[in-house]
């Protein structure tokens, strides 16, 4: 996750005017493909592959970052949620921006996280749309960066980019976390345990009253 600093340095290179170019499918690896501008560039650095290219309204970046070899398998969905939330916090901290519209989505069989990051370094509001896919072996980051003044015209371009992300049917939820058992939520646990305690108290009260009634009848 610390390597995502590279992504922001690449974004800073996109200072020239955006050129209108069609998108074409690109294989990120044998399991993931996405459509990028025809004149995209690819760089391999620090063990990760970075694809980037200018479109008409936005700048597209895809990062394929292998996870640590000693990475422990995630056990449950809540473990995946924590990893993704930590990832978002890391990006937010490095960019000194504000995250908006954080939500879950599904790509193929996999759970993904999407969010928007807004920053202003004095040159106007800049917006980055992120889609994060975590698997046991690799984390994929898809970014679409654009100036706020293009907000009303970039939607179709971003939709074409984001909807082009395809993952192999071979990738299952078990490639993200091992167990589909969700367990009880904290609210449910409070309700169950609290309700159980209340039931026990009620039984005790009824037993005590019954004993008192019996004692009075025998007196």
């Amino acid at each position: 996750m610390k390597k995502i600093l590279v992504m922001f340095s690449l974004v800073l290179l996109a200072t020239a005017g955006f050129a209108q170019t069609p998108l074409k499918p690109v294989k990120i690896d044998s399991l993931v493909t996405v459509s990028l501008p025809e004149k995209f560039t690819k760089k391999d650095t620090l063990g990760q592959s970075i694809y980037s290219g200018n479109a008409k309204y936005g700048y597209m970046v895809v990062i394929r970052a292998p996870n640590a070899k000693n990475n422990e398998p995630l056990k449950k969905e809540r473990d995946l949620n924590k990893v993704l939330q930590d990832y978002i916090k890391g990006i937010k901290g490095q960019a000194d921006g504000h995250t908006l519209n954080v939500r879950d989505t599904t790509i193929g069989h996999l759970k993904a996280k999407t969010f928007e990051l807004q920053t202003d370094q004095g040159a106007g509001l800049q917006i980055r749309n992120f889609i994060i896919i975590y698997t046991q072996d690799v984390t994929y980051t898809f970014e679409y960066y654009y100036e706020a003044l293009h907000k009303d015209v970039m939607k179709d371009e971003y939709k074409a980019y984001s909807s082009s992300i395809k993952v192999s049917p071979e990738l299952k939820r078990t490639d993200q976390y091992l167990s589909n058992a969700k367990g009880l939520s904290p609210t449910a646990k409070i309700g169950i345990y609290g309700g159980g305690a209340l039931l026990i108290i009620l039984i005790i009260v009824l037993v005590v009253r019954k004993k008192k009634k019996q004692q009075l009848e025998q007196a």
Side-chain angles (χ1 to χ4, degrees), residues 83-171:
V83 168
L84 295 175
Q85 288 296 340
D86 289 344
Y87 195 99
I88 293 173
K89 289 179 182 177
I91 293 176
K92 180 180 178 181
Q94 292 170 10
D96 191 24
H98 303 283
T99 53
L100 300 171
N101 303 319
V102 181
R103 63 181 181 85
D104 295 329
T105 189
T106 300
I107 299 178
H109 297 295
L110 304 182
K111 179 176 180 178
K113 185 76 74 174
T114 73
F115 65 98
E116 181 181 290
L117 179 71
Q118 294 186 354
T119 60
D120 189 343
Q121 304 298 328
L125 184 63
Q126 301 167 344
I127 303 172
R128 294 167 180 154
N129 288 338
F130 286 89
I131 300 174
I132 311 297
I133 301 176
Y134 173 93
T135 69
Q136 174 63 30
D137 298 323
V138 179
T139 298
Y140 302 89
T141 303
F142 303 86
E143 178 186 1
Y144 181 84
Y145 162 87
Y146 65 97
E147 303 288 345
L149 57 89
H150 291 148
K151 190 173 182 66
D152 293 332
V153 294
M154 48 64 66
K155 296 179 181 178
D156 288 342
E157 183 173 270
Y158 175 65
K159 183 178 180 181
Y161 172 58
S162 59
S163 63
S164 73
I165 301 171
K166 307 296 181 186
V167 300
S168 168
E170 295 178 15
L171 284 174

